[in-house]
Amino acid sequence: MAGEHLQAPIIPPKLHHATFLTLELDEMVRWYGLVCGLYPVHYAESAAWLTNDEANHRIALIAHPAVHRPVDKPTSAGLHHTAFEYGSFGQWLDNYERLRDHGITPFMCLDHGITMSMYYADPEGNGVEIQFDAFGDWAVSKEWIWASREFAENPIGEWFDPDKLVEARAQGVSQDEIHEGARAGKYRPEDVPADILLPEVY
């Protein structure tokens, strides 16, 4: 219950992976490979375990025969998205251009203050956030999210159009100037999304 004191573990475990039930195993494996560089460590007829770093897997996909299409997934309780982080603004924006050239574009883009983030939907409508840390230092961004009045008053952040960021970078605008401009609404899209709900793909 709210306010109840809970005993946290002395040594907390680290987040390792997320697992999805899927109706489109092969398509999901291809999509996560293209979008996040995840490759199968083990790929079977009804499941796959994918990684893009030293871990044995970061995403697992299970194609169980009992799985059925979700009903009203965008407004159902549950996981909204998983997130992947680039080490720099340049890598992050380059990745946007790469995916755009493959016909994959985000359904929403937000500057949260702690991160600049683009949100994609995988083939089954699961959200995937591609972000970079705007402070370049987890200790600093952790302090900011804890102490910042700006974040407390607007935790969702400000919408931006990634093509406007690409154009600004091409004109020589710096990363910090782009981030500040996005926070000020300078790069807002023509049509601002109505909310942060996932798109319905079924």
Side-chain angles (χ1 to χ4, degrees):
M1 297 179 64
E4 182 179 339
H5 177 72
L6 299 176
Q7 183 65 48
I10 295 173
I11 301 175
K14 293 186 181 297
L15 182 64
H16 184 273
H17 69 271
T19 298
F20 298 94
L21 299 177
T22 180
L23 294 167
E24 303 288 348
L25 179 62
D26 294 337
E27 187 177 358
M28 290 281 277
V29 170
R30 286 192 294 270
W31 192 88
Y32 277 94
L34 177 62
V35 173
C36 303
L38 289 151
Y39 63 90
V41 176
H42 186 86
Y43 195 166
E45 183 178 347
S46 60
W49 290 261
L50 317 176
T51 191
N52 63 3
D53 63 11
E54 67 277 7
N56 50 49
H57 70 290
R58 291 302 189 183
I59 294 288
L61 302 166
I62 309 296
H64 191 281
V67 175
H68 56 81
R69 289 185 174 188
V71 177
D72 197 18
K73 183 170 183 171
T75 55
S76 296
L79 182 70
H80 182 273
H81 67 271
T82 54
F84 297 84
E85 184 171 87
Y86 274 103
S88 74
F89 172 81
Q91 293 172 348
W92 172 77
L93 199 55
D94 289 345
N95 184 68
Y96 163 73
E97 292 189 86
R98 178 184 69 87
L99 291 178
R100 182 194 61 190
D101 293 345
H102 282 283
I104 298 174
T105 56
F107 66 89
M108 69 176 183
C109 300
L110 286 162
D111 187 322
H112 297 295
I114 47 169
T115 65
M116 295 187 77
S117 303
M118 301 185 201
Y119 293 83
Y120 297 81
D122 75 16
E124 294 192 301
N126 304 298
V128 175
E129 177 183 1
I130 307 291
Q131 67 179 45
F132 85 94
D133 190 299
F135 293 92
D137 184 324
W138 281 1
V140 177
S141 60
K142 186 176 182 180
E143 173 74 14
W144 188 85
I145 195 175
W146 174 77
S148 169
R149 179 181 295 276
E150 181 182 352
F151 187 80
E153 293 176 349
N154 181 15
I156 297 302
E158 180 58 63
W159 304 93
F160 66 83
D161 179 338
D163 286 319
K164 292 182 179 180
L165 304 194
V166 171
E167 182 179 355
R169 180 175 67 168
Q171 293 173 351
V173 182
S174 72
Q175 168 189 325
D176 289 342
E177 290 172 321
I178 289 174
H179 175 47
E180 291 172 7
R183 294 295 289 166
K186 182 177 180 179
Y187 303 113
R188 287 193 126 208
E190 298 297 325
D191 297 313
V192 176
D195 53 47
I196 62 168
L197 297 178
L198 294 165
E200 179 61 80
V201 302
Y202 286 105

